[in-house]
């Protein structure tokens, strides 16, 4: 396959000299460190944070490489996946000239980040059952289409894309293909990281925010060829992952058992929530889920959403989103939270029904 990364890259990024930090120029651990204008006495906090963290997150990447079966040089770490999304736009999309292809309904940050970077958006809707339309996607693309964002399992529809459709697009789309796998841990689908060596235009995003339960630490991962990762590293803010985040994740990452236990519990609760929702006569559709949430269709969804808030139960209203008319997105909670949601849902629905008779 002919894929020329340099012709995709913005010319000034290709030429860019990156910032070299103090910790780039001397990487030893021992010594008298008078190179980075840090506070030598410690920190205002009990725990010391006075030294700048490793800008390359080497220790953490070595561990992530093991559990994800990739090479450390294929890993970029960002301040959440959102940072990777933004850096991709800045590396590859010339504002006011290039475009990206988005597949609504999907994750809102691809569009917001395109707008922040003044990049044209071309939308190719998913089908009624939230599948890709590969031929239409290719037809919408031209030489200035730099990135295609595929979210699988998709937020907010919860389903996964057909693997053969993604592979077809990897073979035929001329720009970068980003596969956002934020919810992959809740799916039986294998990750596309296994395809990295076959497709130089593939970038897979994952995150510690969902299955790992670390949304507050802000740690997102991108996996791609060494060439692509080198570009992202070149343009990222030098110290984009805090030392606290690096140390905390490094200390916990070997506890794969706990992650697996939480995932199993979430999947059990997803089954429970689905089974209970199926018993409710007013629920019109529960979309099949490969994620930690359910997309549920019901009459008067916006009214239900508002009334649930009165009951102190907060879900996500997707009723105005393309192909999600009258749908609420419900994150799977603990058993107690799910029961609280279900009883509030029944209560507000019967209130709405009786007010209409
Ligand atoms: C939650 C989510 C993410 C994670 O974003 P972070 O910035 O890593 O917290 C990424 N993509 C999708 C589709 C998501 O729903």
């Amino acid at each position: 396959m002919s894929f020329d990364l340099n012709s995709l890259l913005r010319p000034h990024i290709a030429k860019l000299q990156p910032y070299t930090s103090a910790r780039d120029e001397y990487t030893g651990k021992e010594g008298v460190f008078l190179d980075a204008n840090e506070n030598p006495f410690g920190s205002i906090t009990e725990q010391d944070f006075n030294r700048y963290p490793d800008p390359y997150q080497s220790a953490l990447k070595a561990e992530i490489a093991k559990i994800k079966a990739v090479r450390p040089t294929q890993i970029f770490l960002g301040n959440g996946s959102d940072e990777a999304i933004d850096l991709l736009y800045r590396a590859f999309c010339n504002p006011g000239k290039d475009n990206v292809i988005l597949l609504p309904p999907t994750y809102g940050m691809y569009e917001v980040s395109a707008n922040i970077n003044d990049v044209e958006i071309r939308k190719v809707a998913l089908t009624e059952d939230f599948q890709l339309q590969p031929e239409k996607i290719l037809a919408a693309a031209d030489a200035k289409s730099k990135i295609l964002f595929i979210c699988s399992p998709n937020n907010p529809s919860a389903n996964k894309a057909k693997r053969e459709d993604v592979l077809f697009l990897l073979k035929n789309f001329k720009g970068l293909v980003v596969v956002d796998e934020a919810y992959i841990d809740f799916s039986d689908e294998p990750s596309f990281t296994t395809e990295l060596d076959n497709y130089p235009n593939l970038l897979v995003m994952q995150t510690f925010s969902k299955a790992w339960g670390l949304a507050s630490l802000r740690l997102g991962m991108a996996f791609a060829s060494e060439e692509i990762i080198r570009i992202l590293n070149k343009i990222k803010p030098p110290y984009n992952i805090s030392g606290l985040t690096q140390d905390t994740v490094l200390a916990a990452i070997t506890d794969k058992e706990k992650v697996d236990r939480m995932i199993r519990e979430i999947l059990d609760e997803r089954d429970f929530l689905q089974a209970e929702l199926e018993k409710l006569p007013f629920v019109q559709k529960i979309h099949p889920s490969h994620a930690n949430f359910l997309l549920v269709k019901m009459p008067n969804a916006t009214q239900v959403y508002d009334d649930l808030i009165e009951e102190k139960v907060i879900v996500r209203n997707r009723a105005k989103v393309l192909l999600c008319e009258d749908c609420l997105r419900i994150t799977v909670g603990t058993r107690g939270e799910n029961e609280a949601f279900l009883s509030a849902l029944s209560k507000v629905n019967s209130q709405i029904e009786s007010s209409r008779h």
Side-chain angles (χ1 to χ4, degrees), residues 80-82 107 110 151 155 180 182-183 207 209-210 218:
S81 311
D82 298 340
Y107 186 45
Y110 315 139
C151 187
N155 179 5
D180 186 345
Y183 299 99
T207 179
S209 295
K210 308 284 157 64
R218 312 306 302 130

Side-chain angles (χ1 to χ4, degrees), residues 324-341:
C324 301
E325 288 77 19
D326 261 337
C327 284
L328 301 178
R329 192 193 71 188
I330 296 127
T331 305
V332 175
T334 63
R335 178 59 57 94
E337 290 170 335
N338 296 332
E339 283 173 342
F341 159 71

